Amino acid sequence: MTLYIRFAEEIGRILDQLEAEGTIPAGLSRRAVSIEPPRDPSHGDLSTNAAMVLAKPAGSNPRALAQAIAPKLEQVEGVTAVEIAGPGFINMRLAPDVWRGELAEILAAGGDYGRSTAGNGHRVNVEYVSANPTGPMHMGHCRGAVVGDALASLLAFVGHPVTREYYVNDAGAQVQTLGRSAHLRYREALGEDIGEIPEGFYPGDYLKPVGAALAAEFGTKYATAPESDWLDLFREKAVAAMMDMIRADLALLGIHHDIFASEAGVQKAGKVDAAFAELTAKGLLYQGVLEPPKGELPDDWEPTEMTLFRATEYGDDQDRPVRKSDGGLTYFGTDLAYHAQKAAEADELIDIWGADHAGTVKRIQAAVQALTEGSKRFDVKLVQMVKLLRGGEPVKMSKRSGQFVTLADVVNEVGRDVVRFTMLTRKADAQMDFDFAKVVEASKDNPVFYVQYAHARVRSVQRKAKGEMGLEAAGADLSKLDDEEWGLVKLAAQFPRIVEQAAGTREPHRVAFYLYDLAAAFHALWNRGNDRPDRRFLVQDDPDTTQARLSLAEGIGQILRNGLSIMGVAAAEEM
């Protein structure tokens, strides 16, 4: 049991006692009660807001309730002092043995340190990437892919069964255009001079191998055939080839989905009809006319009757069409049914979307709420675009793609770990610059390097200790560590609570921020030995202190490995 969990349970036990004594009423919600490090380390080791958040519902005042809690906290094993601060915060100081025990716990738990059952088996479906299958992955998809994958790993780490899902948009006009573009490349592979790629077709060279494969399979059979003979076939073949390419691109980032759900499959399986029938039975679908667009009306606008979903009953700005006037499905109509399909298999849905889809969030949230009667949590995480730079200058587009910089090109240039870590160094909804020069820079201003270098230093000192002194961390006398070194242990001990907070807020970037802070503290401790040999991790004439510091280094290395693993980033063995 990690330190913060242990003391959270102690606070819970004390509150139970206060209920039994009649000091506070029974049944008060304790969800907002927390155990955290004080903002100012000089105030102590741990702080709780229990008195602050419970006083009002308990009919008390915070300081009076804190005075009831404090004496009981003083009796908790390992607590050496309790102080009430300000209006009612309670700060605690802990005995050195508590921190020795926590470092020993980090070393003993290894890769499981910070792992928890907080998710309590709550099933989460995380849908991410879901790029249209019309070409290779580009850097516009990269950030959402990394954020979604790291979030899935984070949720699994705290005890959620997680399904990683990709929604393949294989129905509609875009994939019809893909089929026509593939037919053009097919004719080219047969020797025809196709000239310039027509406007509106997909121009990238990535379709040339698709055309060649079609030519090899069908010969000249469809070269001059009417479109109705080949369009569906070529669309299916091209989508399959694009998905193979997309899977390969994602694999470069270490991303593998559990499910690839098909838009066309949702329609063929009758999921749309089933969802519409359910909404109709609830009185949530009707024939109606959309309100005219705001501002000056387009010349070709006219009121048209369509099948509408009563999205406004669930917080949307207007009701939304699910079928067009000709009876065809809108994209939202199929998307609504797809989310119903996901909700049937999970307790919670999370979608990772590009920020350009912000305008569609309310309608799909309304649909999920209507279909699940509000029983399923549903979050949409919006991810801002990434601006690619090289030495501060915008990066030119890729010739192969025809329109964009491919993900594969970027990963092949700077490496998977650099791409993944960098994508998590800012909040997902904040804009990001990705400068090829800066992300590989060996400086503390580059978080990727700084964290990787900290782990490489841990491995270096371990190798030297074993090779030069025959020492390892096992069996160390941890009382040899000084106050600065225990300060690093205290920071390391925050890892489990950081992980649970990041999982609770669905924000994996918090792990990256924490690892940078931990790495910075480790480097500061390391650098104190630059001018003082006795402050180094290896002290040749003091094997006991060396062994204790090896234990500290191994503990920090373990936290770095655990955090990097959640992010899908390897821990560098040497640099």
Side-chain angles (χ1 to χ4, degrees):
M1 181 185 298
T2 59
L3 182 140
Y4 284 89
I5 292 176
R6 175 192 155 195
F7 276 90
E9 291 187 356
E10 292 288 358
I11 289 293
R13 181 182 58 78
I14 288 170
L15 294 176
D16 288 342
Q17 291 177 5
L18 293 177
E19 280 188 8
E21 295 168 2
T23 304
I24 60 174
L28 295 182
S29 173
R30 302 177 187 176
R31 293 185 62 182
V33 174
S34 66
I35 293 285
E36 297 182 337
R39 291 184 179 180
D40 184 345
S42 68
H43 293 168
D45 296 319
L46 298 179
S47 180
T48 181
N49 65 351
M52 297 290 294
V53 300
L54 294 179
K56 185 174 181 180
S60 179
N61 70 71
R63 195 163 184 93
L65 184 52
Q67 288 170 344
I69 295 172
K72 297 182 184 296
L73 272 176
E74 290 173 345
Q75 303 305 311
V76 173
E77 182 180 358
V79 175
T80 59
V82 177
E83 300 168 1
I84 299 172
F89 285 102
I90 304 173
N91 297 327
M92 292 165 273
R93 298 182 189 277
L94 306 181
D97 280 348
V98 173
W99 297 111
R100 291 172 194 151
E102 194 63 17
L103 178 54
E105 174 65 19
I106 293 171
L107 298 174
D112 288 330
Y113 184 78
R115 193 180 296 276
S116 76
T117 59
N120 198 31
H122 182 84
R123 299 168 303 164
V124 183
N125 178 296
V126 185
E127 182 216 324
Y128 55 107
V129 188
S130 297
N132 289 329
T134 54
M137 297 287 297
H138 58 73
M139 282 301 286
H141 304 127
C142 179
R143 194 176 182 191
V146 172
V147 169
D149 202 55
L151 177 56
S153 295
L154 176 63
L155 293 172
F157 198 75
V158 299
H160 290 281
V162 176
T163 298
R164 292 167 157 90
E165 188 155 337
Y166 185 119
Y167 185 39
V168 183
N169 301 125
D170 54 356
Q174 287 184 313
V175 289
Q176 297 291 79
T177 300
L178 177 69
R180 295 185 182 100
S181 302
H183 186 264
L184 198 65
R185 294 300 190 180
Y186 157 74
R187 287 160 42 203
E188 181 182 44
L190 291 172
E192 182 180 335
D193 182 1
I194 61 172
E196 291 291 322
I197 303 297
E199 184 73 23
F201 279 53
Y202 292 103
D205 289 350
Y206 60 84
L207 281 175
K208 287 184 176 182
V210 178
L214 291 168
E217 183 174 358
F218 299 114
T220 60
K221 180 177 179 179
Y222 297 111
T224 59
E227 184 178 279
S228 58
D229 287 356
W230 53 260
L231 183 57
D232 287 346
L233 174 64
F234 275 46
R235 171 182 58 79
E236 291 177 5
K237 294 281 187 180
V239 167
M242 294 303 97
M243 288 309 301
D244 286 343
M245 185 184 300
I246 286 170
R247 287 186 182 92
D249 287 345
L250 289 172
L252 292 174
L253 279 175
I255 294 175
H256 305 277
H257 289 81
D258 301 312
I259 295 175
F260 286 83
S262 159
E263 179 184 359
V266 170
Q267 296 176 11
K268 289 178 182 177
K271 300 292 186 181
V272 176
D273 292 339
F276 285 9
E278 183 178 343
L279 292 174
T280 299
K282 295 177 178 179
L284 295 174
L285 292 188
Y286 68 99
Q287 296 300 117
V289 177
L290 286 177
E291 295 180 6
K294 295 179 179 179
E296 185 176 347
L297 290 179
D299 293 337
D300 60 350
W301 186 87
E302 58 183 39
T304 305
E305 189 174 83
M306 293 180 282
T307 305
L308 303 177
F309 164 59
R310 298 186 190 277
T312 50
E313 292 193 12
Y314 297 91
D316 199 0
D317 303 323
Q318 65 182 63
D319 291 345
R320 303 293 179 176
V322 295
R323 283 195 187 277
K324 305 171 190 175
S325 57
D326 62 4
L329 289 168
T330 63
Y331 181 78
F332 171 62
T334 305
D335 206 22
L336 176 154
Y338 165 61
H339 281 78
Q341 174 178 285
K342 290 196 295 183
E345 301 296 330
D347 301 309
E348 178 182 347
L349 307 180
I350 300 174
D351 287 1
I352 310 296
W353 292 358
D356 55 330
H357 288 79
T360 63
V361 172
K362 284 186 178 180
R363 71 190 67 174
I364 200 64
Q365 287 179 329
V368 172
Q369 188 175 356
L371 287 163
T372 67
E373 298 183 343
S375 65
K376 304 291 176 79
R377 177 176 171 180
F378 174 48
D379 286 338
V380 177
K381 297 296 184 185
L382 296 176
V383 179
Q384 286 287 349
M385 293 289 289
V386 177
K387 184 178 180 182
L388 294 179
L389 305 169
R390 192 179 296 279
E393 296 296 322
V395 173
K396 294 180 180 180
M397 298 297 101
S398 163
K399 291 181 180 179
R400 177 173 178 270
S401 72
Q403 298 174 343
F404 43 75
V405 177
T406 66
L407 181 151
D409 287 342
V410 176
V411 174
N412 288 334
E413 178 172 343
V414 303
R416 175 182 116 180
D417 292 337
V418 168
V419 173
R420 288 193 66 123
F421 197 110
T422 302
M423 292 298 124
L424 295 168
T425 54
R426 298 204 71 186
K427 292 182 64 174
D429 59 0
Q431 291 189 346
M432 168 179 283
D433 289 347
F434 184 98
D435 193 311
F436 284 85
K438 290 185 177 180
V439 297
V440 295
E441 189 178 79
S443 78
K444 68 176 295 184
D445 296 325
N446 177 9
V448 187
F449 167 79
Y450 208 48
V451 173
Q452 292 277 36
Y453 188 37
H455 189 268
R457 275 181 156 173
V458 168
R459 289 306 199 206
S460 173
V461 76
Q462 288 174 328
R463 288 191 295 267
K464 288 182 178 179
K466 188 171 183 179
E468 297 176 11
M469 301 176 68
L471 293 176
E472 294 183 350
D477 178 3
L478 299 180
S479 67
K480 295 291 185 179
L481 297 178
D482 61 32
D483 288 344
E484 285 184 82
E485 290 159 343
W486 285 119
L488 188 56
V489 173
K490 293 175 185 180
L491 181 56
Q494 292 186 38
F495 178 69
R497 61 176 287 274
I498 295 294
V499 166
E500 288 200 6
Q501 287 178 348
T505 57
R506 307 322 193 222
E507 294 180 332
H509 69 270
R510 292 182 180 226
V511 177
F513 289 8
Y514 166 79
L515 293 182
Y516 181 85
D517 289 343
L518 183 65
F522 177 78
H523 288 307
L525 197 66
W526 181 284
N527 291 336
R528 70 181 187 168
N530 290 343
D531 302 317
R532 292 273 305 272
D534 63 307
R535 307 299 292 277
R536 294 173 184 167
F537 277 81
L538 299 187
V539 184
Q540 294 294 333
D541 59 354
D542 191 347
D544 291 341
T545 298
T546 295
Q547 199 169 27
R549 290 175 181 168
L550 281 175
S551 295
L552 172 62
E554 171 55 23
I556 301 308
Q558 187 65 66
I559 300 296
L560 293 172
R561 289 193 294 277
N562 291 3
L564 289 170
S565 176
I566 290 171
M567 298 169 64
V569 176
E573 295 295 311
E574 56 185 347
M575 295 181 74

